[in-house]
Amino acid sequence: MRFLEHRIADKRILRLITEWLKVGVVTKEGRIERSMRGAPQGAVVSPTLANVYLHYALDLWAHRWRQKKARGDVIIIRYADNFIAGFQHEHEARAFLQDLHERLREFELASHPAKTRLIRFGRFAAEQRKKRGEGKPETFNFLGFTHFCTRSKAGGFVIGRKTIKKRMVTKLKALKVELRKRMHESIAATGEWLNLLLKGHLNSFAVPGNSFSLWWFFHEIRWRWLRSLRRRSQKANLSWGKFHRLTDRFFPPIKILHPQPLHRFDARTQGRSPVREQRTPGSVRGARSNPRLYRDRRRRALRP
């Protein structure tokens, strides 16, 4: 509540949020359990309040730590209560991790011991691990993707992303149960349901480099649907080829829907844009008198 008071002056809004925090939850037995600390599990306001809390407890502190203690590059990405911190120097990564535990403890938070790791990752990870006699660079999971070090077709370093295998297997098990319930429904009805499910999967995971995981997931769903239809009757005779042609009209085409990050963040301003006018006079306006200097600065600003 003290964090909210930094931005909200209306006492009525603060009072309503206080009541929201104390409202409690209803158990399976129908009893109401009042909340004594934290935000109610499943409440609409909980994600918003969690982001506000972490903004002051983590984001501002990490930004200040980067300015005062870091000498190399530091990159921090946070989504809800999951975040990744990348460091150019290993000793700074270890120092940040130690300070992070102390910082979270001050706000009655703690990092998950099974999900908090310090790994060697990035452009030079493979070369460094090879000198140490270690294997391939480690991978990490973040926001539904397994991130790993790989090479592009041109031979340059890129960060590969693929859908977490464990999540796909879990989803396929749940899908098998649902297909069993829909066994005697028409193919058109089940196909429309699968079409919506697969479109949602593509909207989340159709990123560059993840084509094989998408193809594998679609292929496994086809097999499970075919087995479910074959169990309708002992005389069911539906071949894979015929079934594949039949379901082509329900399965959306596998294609990449999201661009590379370097293209997604390649924003350009035109004319007298407010974004451009807010820059310091020496950064852009002073460079306009020298076209070559202005062009070089724009290239550095847009460099991924």
Side-chain angles (χ1 to χ4, degrees), residues 75 86-88 119-129 136-140 147-151 156-160:
I75 298 175
F87 298 85
Q88 184 179 358
I119 65 173
R120 193 175 300 276
F121 191 89
R123 188 181 304 275
F124 307 105
E127 180 181 349
Q128 293 173 354
R129 289 179 64 88
K136 295 181 179 180
E138 296 182 72
T139 64
F140 65 90
H147 295 71
F148 56 96
C149 299
T150 185
R151 296 283 178 179
F157 170 79
V158 294
I159 297 179

Side-chain angles (χ1 to χ4, degrees), residues 158-176:
V158 294
I159 297 179
R161 293 176 293 173
K162 60 182 179 181
T163 312
I164 298 177
K165 187 68 174 291
K166 184 178 179 180
R167 290 196 177 187
M168 288 194 294
V169 172
T170 303
K171 187 178 292 187
L172 287 173
K173 289 181 179 179
L175 188 94
K176 180 180 178 181

Side-chain angles (χ1 to χ4, degrees), residues 79-142:
Y79 182 86
D81 60 342
N82 301 305
F83 80 98
I84 294 174
F87 298 85
Q88 184 179 358
H89 305 299
E90 181 180 351
H91 68 277
E92 292 183 355
R94 296 187 180 277
F96 178 85
L97 184 60
Q98 182 177 355
D99 294 343
L100 175 66
H101 291 319
E102 297 177 1
R103 175 69 177 182
L104 295 179
R105 196 177 301 114
E106 293 178 2
F107 293 87
E108 300 187 21
L109 299 174
S111 58
H112 198 292
K115 298 180 180 181
T116 305
R117 293 188 299 151
L118 185 64
I119 65 173
R120 193 175 300 276
F121 191 89
R123 188 181 304 275
F124 307 105
E127 180 181 349
Q128 293 173 354
R129 289 179 64 88
K130 185 177 181 180
K131 291 181 179 179
R132 294 168 173 259
E134 300 172 344
K136 295 181 179 180
E138 296 182 72
T139 64
F140 65 90
N141 297 331
F142 186 62

